[in-house]
Amino acid sequence: MRTTLTLCLGLLCTAPAAPCAAQERWQVTLNSGTILWDLHLVKLSGDTLVVAHADSVYAFPLMDLDELRLVHKSERRQNAEPGRYDGVLAGADDEVHRLTLYDLAERRQIVQQVFEEHPPHGSP
């Protein structure tokens, strides 16, 4: 009985933590080509996306955005073939929302969906 309890407690301690919005890192590409990274979603205020970086807050009109990207942590995975690696810093697992070809209403809908799927830290 004691061994089973110890094993169960050990498994609980080694289980990976569930991802939370506080750990999510976003990248914004503006129409000008400027890229801002390591951002956290704050809110969608009308037609303006509000994000935070460290102790700064930025607001971007939706029409100034080219791309919104959820950047996933990169992992080094060795392929079955010796000396070959898969998924190394390629961004293949990133969630990318390309906004360039959409009008304002469509952009607003896409960003609202992003906020529904990835609520900012402290949101219900």
Side-chain angles (χ1 to χ4, degrees):
M1 172 84 172
R2 183 177 180 132
T3 305
T4 305
L5 180 59
T6 304
L7 179 60
C8 289
L9 288 175
L11 290 174
L12 287 174
C13 292
T14 59
C20 71
Q23 297 172 341
E24 289 183 342
R25 293 176 22 191
W26 291 85
Q27 174 180 306
V28 169
T29 303
L30 302 176
N31 293 335
S32 66
T34 302
I35 299 173
L36 298 141
W37 58 88
D38 204 16
L39 303 171
H40 302 281
L41 297 178
V42 175
K43 66 180 177 177
L44 178 62
S45 178
D47 296 331
T48 303
L49 173 65
V50 181
V51 295
H53 173 74
D55 59 350
S56 299
V57 175
Y58 301 96
F60 301 105
L62 294 180
M63 291 307 293
D64 289 351
L65 300 178
D66 178 48
E67 181 181 278
L68 182 61
R69 176 185 297 253
L70 174 58
V71 181
H72 290 285
K73 182 177 179 181
S74 296
E75 295 179 8
R76 181 178 173 185
R77 297 182 213 132
Q78 188 165 1
N79 192 334
E81 187 177 332
R84 302 279 314 243
Y85 294 92
D86 289 332
V88 179
L89 301 174
D93 295 334
D94 291 354
E95 180 180 317
V96 180
H97 301 277
R98 194 69 198 255
L99 303 172
T100 305
L101 299 177
Y102 296 106
D103 65 21
L104 180 59
E106 292 168 319
R107 289 175 186 230
R108 189 181 316 109
Q109 184 179 8
I110 291 167
V111 175
Q112 285 172 340
Q113 183 65 36
V114 166
F115 274 89
E116 288 175 18
E117 294 174 3
H118 304 279
H121 182 65
S123 295

